[in-house]
Amino acid sequence: MLVSLKEIKNYVNIDGYTANEIADKLTFAGIEVEEVSSLASGTNLVVGHILECEKHPDSDHLHILKVDLGPKYGVEQIVCGAPNARKDLKVIVARVGAKLPGGEIKKGVIRGVESNGMCCSLLELGVDAKSLSEKQTKGIEELPSDAVTGNEDVLGYLGLDDEVLNLKILANRPDLLSIYNVAREIAAILDLKANIPTHEVKETFKTDLVVGSSTSRCSQFSGREIKGIKIKESPKFMKEALTAMGVRSISNIVDIGNYVMLLTGQPLHMYDADKLEKAELIAKDDYQGDFVALDEKSYKVIPNDIVITTNNKPMCLGGVMGSLACAVDSNTTRIYIEAASFDGASIRHTSNRLGLVSESSQRFVKGTNHNQSEQVINFASYLIKEYCEGKEFSNIVKYQKEEEKLNELKCSVKRINNRLGTSFTKEDIHNVLARLSFGVKEINNDEFIVKIPEFRLDVTCEADISEEVIRILGFDNVKSELPQLDSKVGGYTLRQSRLREIREYLLLNGLDECLTYSLLSKANAEKFNLLNNEEHYQILNPLTDEREVFRTHILYSLLESASYNTSRQNKDLSLFETSNMVSKASRSEHLAIVLVGNKLNQAYMNKTPYDFYSMKGIVEGIFELLGVEQSRYRFDRYLDEKEELHPGRSAKIIFQNQVIGVFGELHPSQYSKLGLGKTNAVVLEMNLESLLNAKVSISKMSPISKFPTVSRDLALVVDKSVAASEIIKVIKVSGKGIVKEANIFDVYTGIPLLESKKSVAVNITLGKDETLTEKDINEAMDKIKYELSKSLKAELRL
Amino acid sequence: MANENMEKIYQEAQSEIASSESNEKLQELRVKFLAKKSIIMTMLSTLGQLPPEERKTVGQKLNEIKNLITAAIDAKEKELSAKELAKKLQKETIDISLPGRNYNVGGKNPFHVVKDEITDIFLSMGFEVADGPEVETDLYNFELLNIPKDHPARDMQDTFYIDENTLLRTHTSPVQARTMELAKGQPIRIICPGKTYRRDDDDATHSHQFAQIEGLVIDKDINIGHLKATLELFAKKMFGEKREIRLRPSYFPFTEPSVEVDITCANCDGKGCSMCKGTGYIEILGGGMVHPNVLKMNGYDPDQYSGFAFGIGIERVAILRYGIDDIRKFYQNDIRFLRQYKKKA
């Protein structure tokens, strides 16, 4: 909302305050001022009179002017390129040394001809092109012939000596889309008095106009007939005010509509009464069909759009745009003027659907004051009488739906102070409310009745009143004090702290923690969805098809981050992310890890390529971190059907009889698809839920044996298909009671072994709660060897 | 005669020990001078053949020489070992400027650094961490927060919809309603960090995905002063002891009064600079007193209970703190960016 301070000064005396001071005061009262700007600026300006205008001999568009700058500065020669420069024109001259928004004017020689100054357009003085006509933007400004040559107060003469505040109007204060109400607000903040004028015209006849509504979306409709008007240019003050507030001047009647709206906040509409089939304006919301609007375009109207009809034909898209059929034009002499109240939501739907957003539709969307229509019509009528030669004014006809409106609140000084943490007196509070035009009626020392002014649609409860008090008196009055609350144990839940521990564990192991977007394209949402086939949510109104599905896994996004890095020469990566996944069926915390290239053991001097076992180690580490014993989970081979993981180097993580994770090396076909190039990568997706909630028993200390243990190595040759875990299992089972530990320490394939065989070396630790004898050891080892050869067909190598 | 002989042997031993350069040589000397068949030992064993008056003095002298030679060899041995060790250590010298073996800590996206740190600050103040779904219903995201259908405030937030009643939450505030529902009228002190979504085109300052930390305290007699003090403490811990905050009135449908909270600019200490556009202050968060309608709708009697709520933009705090120039950097995960941020700093 652009607010002209010159206009504000008509209603409240703010002499002594600068524009920036006013802006600060407004901002700290909750009305943010986004910008303070001058309408136009320039020094060394003077009104000039072109005495001579000749073509420049060396140019096809330049003119050499002799310009009279009045008695003080005499006649100067100026070279000017404007097409409309001509003899006898009164113009704005920026003398040598003038500082304009575009720079300083210097004495110059243009194509061999001396030039002492510049004739200006309003654009060159910094006026926004939006409020200028095409003619004004293409040439120098043509001043009226009665402009006084030599007048140095050019900006004042043009009404451009104005400053404009750009207010950011929040949803709760639609009343501030009105200069009158901004003036009231400024007066309240500065503790001054606002003088808002009221106007009346003498009613000279009774109109035949019938107004009404068949829809609840129009709660009020007022109209008046005016005869004998004459369409012409608007008066200077009105043009200036509109220009200052970003509205282009069109004609007196259109300008009056806009001017009244800017001042009062109530949009108006004018109908050419002679173009209507009968004297009737009825609001409806069940019309369906085409509508040709003022902009000469055709729009489809659908039920629930508010239309104003005559004889059931749409004459106006309520609050949005009028019909071409009854538009006011230069021949119009008799009009109906409309001031109505429409339901904001309906207007919003209509204007958004048709792409017709205007100053007027926005005011309805945000909410207008339902109780000022007569006053507004009277104000418009007064201006029409003064500036459109309006001669006859009818009575005002009005339709109004019965509405209950809250206009009184019971408040208490104590409750207000309690909410604010302040110690304002009854007088402080009453005084602030009075400044803001609230009525105050005292009940007792504490309680009072507040009467809400009709333009304040936002105030509905005592909390709102407390806000009024504090925004005027200031938050500096609030006593800053930590709440005295019952002490209780805050902090993380077990689940939350486990998640944090897992993240810290990965960070401390050198993995980098990432953050990726939740929205993916449909196609990408299917890729590397290793864990679940749960149905994902799809966005109804996506911005692009790149982001239209709410992901149910992290891995693909993390692979994209990996690819982003490898294409920037960051070749060795260990990335992870934990994030909450939402599908139609469930919500769960996930972890994804991507390892690419090498683990740098000692910078680049010693590196090992990441492989299946790198990831397996991380997974085992996480289980260990949370105190989940090895016996409670296992790894099974993962059967990949989509060629995403290497079929021989991937696994499922099974915990509590559920697959909670999948990991493995990438399938060779994936590297180029993912843009990872020639490298190696291992990936993981894991649903952490069951782990975060797992029960872990407190481990009682198990005594460490006082008796020495004995270590023996075994080397066996087995089929390649025999898993290491099976060998360990056979050793542990057959050596129950004496085998304390069994660890694989080498696996070998190749010559001299057969292609189908591998050699496995195991270290076995034996021990008992007494000293072992040679006999104990030999018996145990014999049994182990026997069982290995029996159940795994293992050959012993010596 | 014997004396001269002994002196000669001693001199010979001394010079040979002094000139020997290896332990092997010293071993030889030990044999030569001190073994059973050495001259000294032979002389000692044949002392009995001497006349009794000479026996004592010669014996003493021989023992003295023997001890001196033993000591000399021992000393020389020590000296040689020390030399040898020094030589060995010299040989073993490495280039200490080469990199150490890798026990590096990973880089932590500054988003997470800030999120964890803010969380820790509030945990230390006795808050708990609440949680809510990112795919929300219209009811929690809007209705229960005093934003009924067609409320103009809905225009402030462009929403991704799943269907008419399901959407991606536009703020973390629905967790307020969810927490109140669970707490069933009991006092509340929670924060909730979480991702939020708005239908904005991504550019340097806008992101369709961003994150907030919601805070909510409900109890008897809570007022704005409590909000102010809590946020003051937060601002000082997060941005430094010298930071001050100020409250500015604002509007959110679910708080009344509503405030924007500004913090003194860390760049210029509140004097005014380009970063704070000359104002000396930078806006960091919004908050206010929980609107009585919100309390009522979520099962609290506004005459009995009051509360405050606030919302902090996580990326915004990180951007201010680290001078990050483009919000998209958080989501690109360039490791050269991530590794600038470790656990804290």
Side-chain angles (χ1 to χ4, degrees):
Chain A
M1 167 84 179
L2 297 175
V3 173
S4 148
L5 280 187
K6 219 172 173 184
E7 196 66 35
I8 291 293
K9 283 174 190 163
N10 291 333
Y11 315 110
V12 53
N13 181 2
I14 50 172
D15 290 350
Y17 292 97
T18 66
N20 282 320
E21 282 166 357
I22 301 275
D24 276 354
K25 297 269 184 195
L26 281 167
T27 297
F28 282 94
I31 299 136
E32 195 181 327
V33 179
E34 293 189 303
E35 197 188 1
V36 180
S37 54
S38 296
L39 257 197
S41 64
T43 59
N44 282 17
L45 300 177
V46 61
V47 173
H49 181 199
I50 301 179
L51 302 175
E52 287 174 29
C53 176
E54 283 169 18
K55 280 191 69 86
H56 191 296
D58 286 339
S59 163
D60 57 358
H61 70 281
L62 295 176
H63 292 96
I64 302 167
L65 311 178
K66 289 272 183 314
V67 188
D68 180 7
L69 305 183
K72 192 166 163 194
Y73 302 111
V75 177
E76 287 284 7
Q77 175 171 286
I78 294 172
V79 177
C80 175
N84 60 335
R86 59 183 185 272
K87 188 173 182 298
D88 280 342
L89 194 63
K90 293 274 178 73
V91 293
I92 306 163
V93 175
R95 293 185 300 108
V96 170
K99 291 202 174 68
L100 303 185
E104 191 179 328
I105 301 300
K106 293 190 176 112
K107 195 177 185 123
V109 176
I110 299 173
R111 297 207 186 162
V113 179
E114 194 179 298
S115 180
N116 297 318
M118 181 173 90
C119 299
C120 304
S121 70
L122 291 185
L123 265 186
E124 285 158 333
L125 299 183
V127 176
D128 193 340
K130 217 171 56 187
S131 48
L132 299 176
S133 70
E134 196 177 323
K135 187 184 161 206
Q136 282 175 305
T137 61
K138 292 219 163 123
I140 52 175
E141 184 65 9
E142 301 186 8
L143 299 180
S145 55
D146 60 2
V148 179
T149 303
N151 180 359
E152 292 185 73
D153 181 19
V154 175
L155 296 181
Y157 169 70
L158 291 169
L160 294 173
D161 54 342
D162 195 358
E163 286 170 298
V164 179
L165 307 182
N166 188 359
L167 305 190
K168 183 175 170 187
I169 304 295
L170 297 174
N172 62 328
R173 294 300 304 273
D175 58 298
L176 295 176
L177 292 166
S178 146
I179 293 294
Y180 284 170
N181 289 338
V182 173
R184 287 185 173 112
E185 188 74 21
I186 291 173
I189 294 166
L190 302 179
D191 202 5
L192 298 169
K193 192 156 169 41
N195 298 302
I196 308 300
T198 51
H199 299 89
E200 278 196 46
V201 290
K202 207 173 150 206
E203 291 172 17
T204 55
F205 70 101
K206 210 163 167 5
T207 181
D208 297 332
L209 177 65
V210 175
V211 298
S213 168
S214 66
T215 166
S216 61
R217 296 165 205 267
C218 169
S219 58
Q220 181 274 126
F221 195 112
S222 303
R224 163 176 276 166
E225 183 180 347
I226 302 175
K227 292 183 197 168
I229 67 162
K230 196 169 172 207
I231 308 299
K232 52 184 181 182
E233 228 184 303
S234 291
K236 186 162 164 280
F237 84 89
M238 197 179 292
K239 282 202 224 171
E240 288 169 7
L242 291 175
T243 302
M245 292 186 279
V247 176
R248 185 183 302 171
S249 168
I250 293 167
S251 68
N252 55 355
I253 194 76
V254 176
D255 289 357
I256 286 170
N258 284 328
Y259 184 67
V260 170
M261 174 182 73
L262 290 176
L263 261 54
T264 65
Q266 169 68 52
L268 296 177
H269 189 68
M270 319 276 191
Y271 301 82
D272 186 330
D274 290 320
K275 293 180 183 170
L276 294 180
E277 288 178 11
K278 67 189 224 202
E280 175 191 85
L281 292 169
I282 308 289
K284 298 189 171 192
D285 65 358
D286 56 358
Y287 181 83
Q288 192 161 11
D290 292 331
F291 173 80
V292 180
L294 274 173
D295 61 4
E296 302 183 19
K297 289 184 191 149
S298 179
Y299 296 94
K300 284 246 176 298
V301 175
I302 59 172
N304 292 340
D305 289 335
I306 302 169
V307 288
I308 314 304
T309 60
T310 302
N311 254 350
N312 222 6
K313 289 177 190 149
M315 291 296 122
C316 181
L317 202 45
V320 178
M321 203 182 256
S323 150
L324 190 60
C326 59
V328 171
D329 61 34
S330 54
N331 299 317
T332 300
T333 60
R334 188 168 70 93
I335 60 167
Y336 295 137
I337 177 167
E338 164 205 305
S341 303
F342 300 118
D343 168 49
S346 308
I347 301 289
R348 182 170 69 151
H349 290 148
T350 302
S351 66
N352 284 353
R353 190 185 81 246
L354 302 176
L356 293 172
V357 176
S358 63
E359 290 275 342
S360 124
S361 73
Q362 280 180 319
R363 280 178 172 75
F364 283 118
V365 167
K366 289 176 174 151
T368 55
N369 175 1
H370 299 189
N371 300 304
Q372 60 167 350
S373 59
E374 286 169 49
Q375 210 182 312
V376 171
I377 288 178
N378 276 330
F379 180 30
S381 304
Y382 162 79
L383 293 171
I384 288 167
K385 183 171 157 238
E386 294 290 315
Y387 306 108
C388 306
E389 300 176 21
K391 287 178 187 66
E392 293 189 57
F393 298 86
S394 80
N395 56 323
I396 292 176
V397 286
K398 185 166 185 180
Y399 158 83
Q400 177 132 37
K401 193 174 75 174
E402 296 255 328
E403 263 187 309
E404 261 188 56
K405 201 187 168 287
L406 176 83
N407 55 17
E408 283 190 346
L409 283 172
K410 193 170 162 190
C411 296
S412 132
V413 172
K414 185 163 166 269
R415 286 197 301 267
I416 288 173
N417 276 321
N418 279 351
R419 189 168 189 83
L420 297 175
T422 51
S423 42
F424 294 129
T425 62
K426 180 180 77 179
E427 287 72 26
D428 291 336
I429 292 171
H430 290 187
N431 178 31
V432 164
L433 293 172
R435 276 158 69 179
L436 287 162
S437 317
F438 287 79
V440 176
K441 203 165 75 196
E442 199 172 316
I443 300 173
N444 54 41
N445 240 340
D446 180 47
E447 290 188 300
F448 56 98
I449 301 282
V450 171
K451 189 168 182 305
I452 303 162
E454 59 187 22
F455 54 86
R456 289 299 299 272
L457 309 171
D458 59 310
V459 176
T460 57
C461 61
E462 193 182 48
D464 294 328
I465 297 293
S466 71
E467 177 172 61
E468 294 302 306
V469 171
I470 198 65
R471 73 185 183 88
I472 298 297
L473 292 178
F475 280 100
D476 293 345
N477 291 295
V478 173
K479 193 169 156 219
S480 175
E481 192 177 44
L482 283 173
Q484 302 288 316
L485 302 171
D486 292 341
S487 67
K488 63 169 182 174
V489 183
Y492 279 132
T493 61
L494 179 63
R495 181 183 183 284
Q496 289 164 344
S497 62
R498 278 177 171 173
L499 180 60
R500 181 85 177 252
E501 280 166 24
I502 291 172
R503 292 176 47 227
E504 298 290 346
Y505 163 77
L506 294 169
L507 283 166
L508 289 174
N509 276 287
L511 282 80
D512 297 317
E513 184 168 25
C514 297
L515 173 69
T516 54
Y517 293 125
S518 305
L519 294 175
L520 296 178
S521 72
K522 257 185 223 170
N524 290 341
E526 299 303 328
K527 294 177 190 163
F528 289 91
N529 195 353
L530 303 177
L531 268 188
N532 54 52
N533 298 309
E534 283 179 5
E535 215 182 327
H536 46 58
Y537 284 111
Q538 191 159 338
I539 304 299
L540 207 58
N541 56 340
L543 276 170
T544 68
D545 52 15
E546 287 302 296
R547 313 234 172 264
E548 60 173 334
V549 165
F550 203 79
R551 67 179 178 182
T552 56
H553 70 294
I554 308 172
L555 185 52
Y556 183 77
S557 317
L558 207 55
L559 279 165
E560 280 188 329
S561 288
S563 164
Y564 181 93
N565 273 293
T566 53
S567 65
R568 282 162 182 77
Q569 300 302 315
N570 304 329
K571 299 281 190 197
D572 300 307
L573 304 168
S574 55
L575 308 177
F576 82 96
E577 180 178 357
T578 63
S579 184
N580 205 263
M581 294 295 111
V582 186
S583 72
K584 286 189 180 173
S586 67
R587 196 151 76 83
S588 50
E589 199 67 33
H590 275 218
L591 163 68
I593 300 178
V594 171
L595 306 174
V596 177
N598 296 297
K599 179 167 172 53
L600 304 180
N601 301 314
Q602 188 185 3
Y604 292 89
M605 294 171 60
N606 174 359
K607 45 190 188 177
T608 4
Y610 287 114
D611 63 8
F612 175 88
Y613 299 111
S614 311
M615 195 66 87
K616 189 178 178 190
I618 293 173
V619 174
E620 288 168 334
I622 291 172
F623 278 106
E624 190 182 6
L625 175 80
L626 300 186
V628 177
E629 284 163 28
Q630 243 175 359
S631 57
R632 292 178 63 188
Y633 65 93
R634 66 171 203 274
F635 300 100
D636 281 0
R637 250 181 221 294
Y638 173 66
L639 301 173
D640 179 27
E641 284 159 2
K642 290 156 102 183
E643 298 199 341
E644 289 177 334
L645 298 187
H646 189 305
R649 298 182 171 197
S650 52
K652 297 185 282 194
I653 308 163
I654 318 271
F655 178 62
Q656 294 176 342
N657 291 322
Q658 280 180 321
V659 178
I660 64 160
V662 170
F663 67 96
E665 296 178 22
L666 281 189
H667 192 280
S669 65
Q670 289 295 337
Y671 291 97
S672 58
K673 279 188 207 165
L674 292 166
L676 285 172
K678 284 183 190 160
T679 181
N680 59 299
V682 204
V683 301
L684 162 101
E685 176 92 21
M686 192 166 171
N687 181 335
L688 296 175
E689 263 335 289
S690 54
L691 205 50
L692 295 176
N693 297 314
K695 283 211 170 71
V696 175
S697 52
I698 294 168
S699 49
K700 290 265 190 280
M701 192 195 84
S702 64
I704 294 160
S705 176
K706 286 178 289 199
F707 300 96
T709 55
V710 171
S711 164
R712 288 284 183 277
D713 290 346
L714 269 187
L716 358 144
V717 174
V718 289
D719 275 353
K720 269 186 182 166
S721 62
V722 174
S725 58
E726 294 176 72
I727 297 173
I728 301 292
K729 198 174 163 196
V730 169
I731 293 171
K732 285 193 169 168
V733 170
S734 55
K736 198 160 188 272
I738 185 162
V739 171
K740 293 278 172 201
E741 237 180 275
N743 292 307
I744 309 277
F745 67 89
D746 191 35
V747 176
Y748 174 78
T749 53
I751 295 165
L753 298 174
L754 292 175
E755 177 84 343
S756 61
K757 299 282 182 184
K758 65 180 172 187
S759 161
V760 179
V762 196
N763 175 268
I764 302 171
T765 306
L766 304 166
K768 258 185 166 180
D769 282 342
E770 57 190 48
T771 305
L772 285 177
T773 64
E774 201 57 31
K775 188 167 159 263
D776 292 335
I777 297 167
N778 291 339
E779 273 175 12
M781 290 305 292
D782 287 346
K783 187 166 179 226
I784 290 167
K785 288 175 194 165
Y786 172 75
E787 288 295 335
L788 283 170
S789 62
K790 194 179 106 186
S791 54
L792 300 177
K793 299 200 169 49
E795 295 167 36
L796 287 167
R797 279 157 55 106
L798 299 168
Chain B
M1 155 66 208
N3 266 343
E4 270 169 40
N5 212 10
M6 282 189 287
E7 194 57 34
K8 214 178 129 199
I9 291 168
Y10 179 60
Q11 292 300 336
E12 187 189 335
Q14 282 295 4
S15 86
E16 282 194 51
I17 291 168
S19 64
S20 58
E21 271 166 8
S22 72
N23 278 320
E24 290 78 35
K25 178 75 189 166
L26 283 177
Q27 270 318 306
E28 281 172 28
L29 295 181
R30 219 183 265 279
V31 173
K32 181 173 171 189
F33 293 108
L34 300 171
K36 253 188 178 158
K37 292 186 175 160
S38 65
I39 302 174
I40 295 173
M41 294 312 278
T42 315
M43 284 171 77
L44 269 172
S45 63
T46 55
L47 265 184
Q49 296 166 11
L50 291 181
E53 67 275 17
E54 273 181 46
R55 217 179 279 164
K56 194 178 169 197
T57 50
V58 171
Q60 271 176 354
K61 185 80 185 167
L62 276 173
N63 271 322
E64 197 180 316
I65 289 172
K66 185 189 119 191
N67 289 341
L68 281 170
I69 292 173
T70 308
I73 291 176
D74 285 354
K76 186 68 183 180
E77 218 168 49
K78 242 185 209 162
E79 183 196 319
L80 283 178
S81 308
K83 254 191 202 159
E84 216 159 285
L85 184 64
K87 218 195 261 167
K88 182 167 175 268
L89 294 182
Q90 171 68 31
K91 251 204 245 164
E92 284 172 359
T93 299
I94 55 167
D95 178 355
I96 58 162
S97 69
L98 286 173
R101 295 203 204 285
N102 196 347
Y103 293 93
N104 291 352
V105 177
K108 189 172 180 180
N109 194 311
F111 170 91
H112 293 296
V113 177
V114 165
K115 182 190 76 180
D116 289 345
E117 206 172 317
I118 296 177
T119 304
D120 290 343
I121 290 171
F122 284 102
L123 287 182
S124 75
M125 288 158 79
F127 281 68
E128 289 174 58
V129 180
D131 180 31
E134 291 167 39
V135 177
E136 258 298 357
T137 60
D138 188 274
L139 180 71
Y140 288 100
N141 196 72
F142 291 125
E143 302 263 344
L144 290 175
L145 295 172
N146 206 26
I147 316 174
K149 285 229 159 57
D150 292 317
H151 189 283
R154 289 200 182 197
D155 276 351
M156 292 156 71
Q157 309 187 342
D158 215 342
T159 310
F160 282 118
Y161 281 94
I162 303 285
D163 59 41
E164 208 184 323
N165 287 311
T166 319
L167 44 84
L168 302 190
R169 67 178 174 197
T170 55
H171 46 185
T172 42
S173 305
V175 176
Q176 288 189 29
R178 289 189 173 272
T179 306
M180 284 188 243
E181 184 179 71
L182 287 173
K184 294 197 170 40
Q186 293 304 302
I188 291 173
R189 206 185 327 170
I190 57 112
I191 56 158
C192 169
K195 291 173 188 158
T196 54
Y197 304 86
R198 289 193 199 166
R199 237 178 134 263
D200 260 336
D201 283 313
D202 294 341
D203 59 30
T205 55
H206 296 85
S207 180
H208 73 276
Q209 175 177 329
F210 57 102
Q212 298 180 329
I213 289 193
E214 191 78 12
L216 175 68
V217 171
I218 292 180
D219 214 317
K220 290 183 176 156
D221 300 323
I222 295 292
N223 64 47
I224 291 187
H226 299 139
L227 169 67
K228 196 174 172 184
T230 303
L231 293 178
E232 247 158 22
L233 198 63
F234 158 73
K236 284 182 193 296
K237 286 200 177 186
M238 193 70 206
F239 294 100
E241 280 304 317
K242 280 162 79 186
R243 302 279 76 83
E244 301 290 338
I245 64 165
R246 84 179 174 195
L247 308 185
R248 250 183 317 119
S250 187
Y251 170 70
F252 306 107
F254 38 95
T255 49
E256 190 73 36
S258 302
V259 294
E260 294 283 359
V261 180
D262 301 333
I263 177 173
T264 47
C265 177
N267 194 39
C268 62
D269 252 347
K271 290 186 199 78
C273 66
S274 64
M275 203 171 135
C276 54
K277 294 182 191 134
T279 61
Y281 282 87
I282 288 180
E283 185 179 320
I284 50 163
L285 62 97
M289 295 295 293
V290 180
H291 198 291
N293 289 354
V294 173
L295 288 173
K296 223 180 291 172
M297 280 188 281
N298 292 289
Y300 286 77
D301 177 357
D303 292 333
Q304 294 281 318
Y305 282 94
S306 55
F308 66 75
F310 56 86
I312 305 169
I314 296 177
E315 286 96 337
R316 179 163 176 79
V317 171
I319 281 168
L320 287 176
R321 196 187 210 197
Y322 301 116
I324 294 165
D325 57 359
D326 189 329
I327 192 169
R328 289 170 294 196
K329 290 215 164 91
F330 292 102
Y331 295 89
Q332 282 163 346
N333 302 306
D334 190 314
I335 55 170
R336 292 164 299 182
F337 174 71
L338 299 181
R339 289 186 183 162
Q340 294 173 34
Y341 308 96
K342 299 288 175 174
K343 290 197 70 174
K344 287 206 174 177

